[in-house]
Amino acid sequence: MNWKPNRDSNLTIHEQIVDWVKSRIERSDWTVGTKLPTQRQLADRFNVNRSTIQLALDELKADGLIESKVGSGVFVANNSWNMLLDKAQLNWQQHIESSIHKPNYHTIQLINEHEQMDHIIRLGTGELSPELLPTKQLEQSLKEISLEPKAIGYSPPQGSEKLRGVLCKYLKNKGIETSLDNILIVSGSLQALQLIAIGLLEEGSVVFHEQPSYLNSIHSFQSVGMRMISIPRDSLLTDSLRENKKKRQSVLYCIPTLHNPTGKSWSMKEKKTLYDTCKELQIPIIEDDVYHELLFEETSPPIKSLDTSGQVLYIGSVSKTLSPGLRIGWIVAPSPVIGRLADIKMQTDYGSSAFSQEIVAQWISSGRYERHLATLREQLKRRAEYVEEILEQHFRKIATWKKSEGGFYIWLRFHEPIVNKALFLKLLHHNVLINPGYIYEPKDLHHIRLSYAYASMRALEEGLHTLLKLIK
């Protein structure tokens, strides 16, 4: 919806909006049953008063093109005038609504849409700023890579043998002993979760996770009928897992290092307690470790380093450290699991990018990746300290937070429950985009996942001052 009314047109603004809606229906972009955006959304998008939107909608209702349903919204109507547009028009909305995969929350849809707009200040984005990406070094590495014809064809089911061999040596530095047969190359950690959801669990399985949880902002498990249960990481952990597991198939998902969205890291004692408990109860662990390389200070190794029984499915990626555009991640797991997930991956995309795998293999094996990480950690640390200084000066009376341990995020908690949809939309109207706590925990109206990784220093300051102004 990039269209905007032309204020120099001979037609009035409301007439242009009417014609635009009609064109969407005529082209079958909006089929019978499609729900229209709200008046507020249309007004914000077209930069007009809501009264103008109301006038246009009233005209469309009079023409029989749209209809209101009390408590639900405005929809494309199924009537004689509309059917004249195309008697064979397919009701795609019915197909969409009855499909398996759950849609994103509306807030997340707005985040995904507005993150692509250059004028938006992105205060919550879980992505490196373009100025932090090693663009020049990547260009140079492309000149150094020597490609064999076979290397740029389809990858083997488990991914490039070269990259898997490189990862075996690299992961050893984290205390993870593995082999080629125990590694699957995937298109980022999100694909890893999707493969696990459809390849290893029966419908109705229990997925244990911390609260708040990254899993609440994606629907990899929910869409295939899994039951999501949050658990505490305290003395009640064992009892909670035992009580909720019963005889059902289950798995536990965690981000023990630089947790998303809170940025917290577990102690080695906490990791060992969790591992021992899950081993006793025969609950597999999915360890999402995509932020580990971004710790500002050394910390305990991954849970996978404790694993002697194949209990832990370990996920890594270069999306948060090198480039999200490469779309390269990996799963370390027992060979039967890897074989199963590799088979499903081949059915869906026939392997990750061969070129991207060559680049990642070259970066890790040459030592260029480690040098880049050292520089990146310093840059992120400066950004974190800059944001923390702004928070200390302007937010300490209304919010609390903990000093960042690394990665991208500060979990900012306001004393009052003010982080609601209205605040999100108000900030968006002022070109500031946040990740509110309620997308990670529906009842959380106190938190914002504040990212210092994407916006420039100047934009970070401007965005935080806008946030403060609107809150006050």
Side-chain angles (χ1 to χ4, degrees):
M1 272 193 357
N2 294 323
W3 178 84
K4 301 279 187 186
N6 180 2
R7 299 186 182 276
D8 296 324
S9 171
N10 293 327
L11 296 176
T12 65
I13 298 296
H14 103 270
E15 287 173 334
Q16 292 181 60
I17 294 173
V18 167
D19 287 345
W20 178 78
V21 173
K22 286 181 178 179
S23 71
R24 301 280 289 187
I25 297 173
E26 288 170 351
R27 295 199 309 264
S28 296
D29 291 336
W30 287 355
T31 56
V32 171
T34 298
K35 183 178 180 180
L36 273 65
T38 65
Q39 289 186 29
R40 181 188 297 276
Q41 290 168 343
L42 290 170
D44 288 344
R45 177 54 54 87
F46 300 148
N47 196 23
V48 299
N49 294 326
R50 287 181 64 180
S51 58
T52 303
I53 299 297
Q54 182 65 58
L55 185 61
L57 295 181
D58 287 344
E59 186 172 325
L60 290 162
K61 288 176 186 176
D63 288 340
L65 291 177
I66 61 174
E67 60 184 355
S68 295
K69 296 181 181 179
V70 178
S72 298
V74 179
F75 299 81
V76 175
N78 182 9
N79 55 68
S80 58
W81 196 98
N82 188 35
M83 295 305 291
L84 288 174
L85 294 174
D86 186 351
K87 292 182 179 179
Q89 189 180 68
L90 184 64
N91 188 346
W92 278 112
Q93 193 62 31
Q94 183 179 357
H95 287 262
I96 291 168
E97 291 176 357
S98 61
S99 64
I100 295 173
H101 208 284
K102 293 180 179 293
N104 268 327
Y105 298 129
H106 181 241
T107 295
I108 297 176
Q109 291 180 3
L110 289 174
I111 290 172
N112 292 338
E113 178 183 347
H114 286 81
E115 278 187 335
Q116 308 307 315
M117 301 178 184
D118 291 339
H119 68 285
I120 296 291
I121 297 176
R122 294 158 59 172
L123 289 185
T125 298
E127 181 184 342
L128 288 175
S129 167
E131 65 187 56
L132 297 180
L133 295 175
T135 308
K136 294 297 182 183
Q137 296 96 310
L138 282 168
E139 287 179 355
Q140 181 61 37
S141 66
L142 289 173
K143 298 175 184 177
E144 299 171 5
I145 292 174
S146 178
L147 296 173
E148 298 178 6
K150 188 177 180 180
I152 59 173
Y154 288 123
S155 294
Q158 289 181 218
S160 159
E161 187 171 321
K162 179 195 290 187
L163 177 55
R164 285 184 287 136
V166 167
L167 286 171
C168 286
K169 296 178 182 177
Y170 180 71
L171 292 170
K172 195 171 184 178
N173 296 327
K174 294 185 180 183
I176 299 174
E177 297 282 349
T178 189
S179 65
L180 294 178
D181 292 339
N182 298 115
I183 297 177
L184 171 65
I185 305 302
V186 291
S187 299
S189 61
L190 183 55
Q191 186 185 49
L193 296 177
Q194 292 166 337
L195 292 173
I196 292 169
I198 63 176
L200 299 179
L201 300 171
E202 62 186 13
E203 187 175 353
S205 296
V206 173
V207 179
F208 295 109
H209 59 102
E210 289 185 83
Q211 200 73 291
S213 177
Y214 168 62
L215 289 187
N216 283 334
S217 67
I218 59 171
H219 291 147
S220 301
F221 293 98
Q222 296 94 319
S223 292
V224 289
M226 304 306 166
R227 184 182 174 198
M228 313 298 292
I229 298 180
S230 61
I231 49 139
R233 262 197 311 114
D234 53 26
S235 58
L236 300 176
L237 172 66
T238 303
D239 291 340
S240 179
L241 288 174
R242 183 177 284 111
E243 178 184 349
N244 287 289
K245 180 182 186 297
K246 298 179 181 177
K247 294 184 179 180
R248 288 174 296 203
Q249 196 178 76
S250 59
V251 68
L252 186 144
Y253 172 82
C254 60
I255 310 178
T257 303
L258 298 176
H259 176 265
N260 179 10
T262 67
K264 296 178 182 177
S265 294
W266 300 12
S267 67
M268 196 62 196
K269 181 180 179 181
E270 289 175 312
K271 292 177 183 179
K272 191 173 188 310
T273 298
L274 181 77
Y275 175 75
D276 290 342
T277 299
C278 288
K279 186 175 180 180
E280 176 194 342
L281 298 176
Q282 291 292 288
I283 300 174
I285 298 171
I286 303 172
E287 182 178 15
D288 192 341
D289 202 33
V290 299
Y291 296 99
H292 201 122
E293 285 103 340
L294 299 179
L295 278 159
F296 296 155
E297 304 293 340
E298 286 294 326
T299 188
S300 57
I303 297 174
K304 183 65 178 174
S305 67
L306 303 171
D307 191 16
T308 57
S309 59
Q311 191 84 14
V312 181
L313 309 180
Y314 179 83
I315 299 174
S317 171
V318 297
S319 293
K320 303 299 182 183
T321 54
L322 182 56
S323 167
L326 289 171
R327 306 308 307 136
I328 294 296
W330 48 87
I331 306 174
V332 181
S335 54
V337 172
I338 293 298
R340 167 64 171 162
L341 300 184
D343 177 55
I344 297 174
K345 179 172 169 60
M346 291 300 281
Q347 295 179 52
T348 56
D349 68 5
Y350 226 72
S352 299
S353 164
F355 289 102
S356 293
Q357 292 182 75
E358 285 288 326
I359 292 170
V360 174
Q362 198 261 5
W363 269 66
I364 296 177
S365 62
S366 67
R368 181 178 266 148
Y369 185 56
E370 287 285 3
R371 294 192 295 273
H372 161 69
L373 288 175
T375 302
L376 179 60
R377 284 190 290 265
E378 287 300 317
Q379 292 172 315
L380 288 172
K381 188 174 183 180
R382 284 197 295 271
R383 284 168 162 263
E385 290 171 348
Y386 180 74
V387 169
E388 287 162 355
E389 184 178 335
I390 295 174
L391 294 177
E392 183 62 33
Q393 290 177 357
H394 302 288
F395 286 78
R396 57 189 174 88
K397 293 183 179 180
I398 59 173
T400 58
W401 63 94
K402 289 189 176 180
K403 187 176 179 63
S404 176
E405 300 175 32
F408 295 173
Y409 312 123
I410 294 173
W411 193 229
L412 185 64
R413 187 187 191 281
F414 290 92
H415 300 325
E416 302 296 330
I418 58 174
V419 188
N420 51 29
K421 184 74 170 288
L423 177 64
F424 172 84
L425 293 173
K426 190 184 296 184
L427 283 163
L428 193 56
H429 185 70
H430 286 78
N431 299 324
V432 175
L433 189 61
I434 62 168
N435 279 41
Y438 63 77
I439 66 175
Y440 307 105
E441 163 50 53
K443 296 180 181 179
D444 184 359
L445 300 179
H446 286 274
H447 286 95
I448 287 177
R449 188 188 80 174
L450 185 58
S451 170
Y452 48 79
Y454 189 85
S456 67
M457 298 287 210
R458 181 175 179 180
L460 284 168
E461 182 175 5
E462 181 182 344
L464 286 169
H465 284 160
T466 300
L467 171 62
L468 184 65
K469 179 180 177 182
L470 292 181
I471 288 173
K472 286 187 173 181

